[in-house]
Amino acid sequence: MQTDVEKWPAWQPNVVSVVKDTPGRLRPGSAFRWTTEGLNITSTVRQVDPGKRLAWGGPAQGITAVHVWTFTPTAHGVLVHTEESWTGAPVEANQAALQAALDNSLHNWVNNLKHEAETQSGYSITRP
């Protein structure tokens, strides 16, 4: 789900569109353009370890972001952990508001990922 970026709009309500600039599976150097929360973002994949880790980053309106996802198999499924950092003049100018926006975005993304995983698997998933 997470690596099939072109399908994000189907299960991530805030993602309006995604276009891959690099065909095929995501790999380091793959690029994709996407629109979310009024931002037009160009992301470049930095790391892919299938089923374990995915990292991408890129600029959007003066903010440079790095987003890392880790997936750890457990006895009851997969533990998902995500971290994202933002830097740039807009962040420095309004750190509290942008931190709140980032926290909200990550919370929504993980909840939507959980819901989609439950929908596809037919199982209910608990959060630690």
Side-chain angles (χ1 to χ4, degrees), residues 17-69:
S17 65
V18 180
V19 175
K20 285 173 60 179
D21 294 332
T22 309
R25 298 181 68 145
L26 291 185
R27 59 194 178 278
S30 295
F32 57 96
R33 291 173 285 120
W34 54 303
T35 303
T36 185
E37 303 288 340
L39 296 172
N40 295 313
I41 304 168
T42 299
S43 293
T44 302
V45 175
R46 296 176 176 211
Q47 185 178 42
V48 177
D49 188 354
K52 295 180 183 177
R53 186 173 170 93
L54 174 63
W56 68 74
Q61 295 176 295
I63 298 171
T64 299
V66 175
H67 200 154
V68 178
W69 294 84

Side-chain angles (χ1 to χ4, degrees), residues 2-20:
Q2 195 67 348
T3 58
D4 195 352
V5 298
E6 291 174 308
K7 290 188 179 173
W8 286 353
W11 59 274
Q12 283 294 349
N14 294 328
V15 176
V16 176
S17 65
V18 180
V19 175
K20 285 173 60 179

Side-chain angles (χ1 to χ4, degrees), residues 26-124:
L26 291 185
R27 59 194 178 278
S30 295
F32 57 96
R33 291 173 285 120
W34 54 303
T35 303
T36 185
E37 303 288 340
L39 296 172
N40 295 313
I41 304 168
T42 299
S43 293
T44 302
V45 175
R46 296 176 176 211
Q47 185 178 42
V48 177
D49 188 354
K52 295 180 183 177
R53 186 173 170 93
L54 174 63
W56 68 74
Q61 295 176 295
I63 298 171
T64 299
V66 175
H67 200 154
V68 178
W69 294 84
T70 56
F71 307 93
T72 306
T74 69
H76 303 287
V78 176
L79 176 64
V80 177
H81 178 81
T82 186
E83 297 177 45
E84 186 168 359
S85 63
W86 290 354
T87 59
V91 176
E92 293 168 15
N94 199 353
Q95 189 172 10
L98 288 176
Q99 182 66 60
L102 176 57
D103 291 346
N104 187 56
S105 173
L106 293 176
H107 175 79
N108 289 338
W109 195 291
V110 170
N111 281 339
N112 292 334
L113 178 62
K114 176 185 179 296
H115 176 72
E116 182 65 11
E118 288 174 339
T119 299
Q120 286 190 19
S121 71
Y123 294 99
S124 178

